[in-house]
């Protein structure tokens, strides 16, 4: 069996890598489950079992985003490194795509969250929304950080 090196993996980059896709799936499930637990435990929805689910949420929060960042870094190396060089044009396009996604989803989120504030736990004003575009602290922060991560690399 061929040794797994960056070059051998780069050759496979155009194909799906099943184990990497599976790990991304695990990370996505952990993020969704962790965020769901966050909302439910903050509202004491589990009654006498709330402490257990709060601890489970804390455990998931310890590793789910670092795991995602590791997978993103590995995927970055597969997608943008060729012959030990970074394809800067592709990276720039990806940064632009990530920032556009961040802005589009943020505008959509704020466009719904501000008028429906009375029905949410986390109130948001127009000023908060504008500030969050540059200093993200809502659910879309990951796209902003990933774009910055790609820019640095």
């Amino acid at each position: 069996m061929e040794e797994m090196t960056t070059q051998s993996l780069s050759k496979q980059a155009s194909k799906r890598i099943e184990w990497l896709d599976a790990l991304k799936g695990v990370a996505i499930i952990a993020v969704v489950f962790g965020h769901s637990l966050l909302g439910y435990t903050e509202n004491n929805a589990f009654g006498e079992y709330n402490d257990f689910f709060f601890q489970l949420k804390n455990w998931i929060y310890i590793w789910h985003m670092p795991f995602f960042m590791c997978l993103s870094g590995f995927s970055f190396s597969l997608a943008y490194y060729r012959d030990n060089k970074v394809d800067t044009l592709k990276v720039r396009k990806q940064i632009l795509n990530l920032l556009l996604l961040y802005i589009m989803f943020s505008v959509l989120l704020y466009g719904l969250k501000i008028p429906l504030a009375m029905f949410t736990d986390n109130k948001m004003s127009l000023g908060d929304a504008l500030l969050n575009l540059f200093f993200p602290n809502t659910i879309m922060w990951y796209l902003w950080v990933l774009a910055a991560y790609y820019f640095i690399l």
Side-chain angles (χ1 to χ4, degrees):
M1 185 167 137
E2 182 182 348
E3 184 181 325
M4 292 293 240
T5 64
T6 303
Q7 288 180 329
S8 68
L9 289 173
S10 293
K11 291 176 187 176
Q12 298 175 1
S14 60
K15 297 184 227 170
R16 301 301 306 190
I17 301 173
E18 290 181 20
W19 61 266
L20 184 59
D21 288 343
L23 288 176
K24 288 178 185 178
V26 168
I28 290 168
I29 290 168
V31 168
V32 171
F33 189 58
H35 281 97
S36 297
L37 287 176
L38 174 68
Y40 284 112
T41 56
E42 283 182 349
N43 291 302
N44 201 23
F46 296 112
E48 66 184 85
Y49 300 105
N50 208 62
D51 287 340
F52 168 78
F53 287 106
F54 181 78
Q55 292 302 322
L56 180 60
K57 184 260 318 170
N58 286 344
W59 177 75
I60 292 170
Y61 267 57
I62 288 171
W63 59 267
H64 77 295
M65 291 317 296
F67 185 49
F68 239 120
M69 290 305 287
C70 289
L71 293 174
S72 295
F74 190 75
S75 297
F76 178 91
S77 70
L78 292 176
Y80 301 111
Y81 274 98
R82 297 286 185 262
D83 301 319
N84 294 325
K85 294 180 190 172
V86 176
D87 186 342
T88 54
L89 182 61
K90 269 179 84 175
V91 172
R92 286 183 190 149
K93 286 180 182 178
Q94 185 62 20
I95 291 170
L96 183 61
N97 286 340
L98 289 169
L99 291 175
L100 287 173
L101 277 172
Y102 171 73
I103 291 168
M104 285 180 0
F105 281 109
S106 294
V107 167
L108 179 66
L109 174 69
Y110 305 147
L112 292 171
K113 200 168 191 178
I114 293 169
L116 300 173
M118 66 174 56
F119 303 109
T120 66
D121 291 336
N122 301 322
K123 311 282 186 249
M124 180 174 282
S125 69
L126 184 58
D128 293 334
L130 292 174
L131 188 62
N132 279 330
L133 284 175
F134 301 102
F135 302 101
N137 69 353
T138 61
I139 60 174
M140 301 311 298
W141 70 269
Y142 183 75
L143 293 174
W144 192 91
V145 169
L146 195 58
Y149 180 67
Y150 280 20
F151 180 77
I152 292 168
L153 294 177

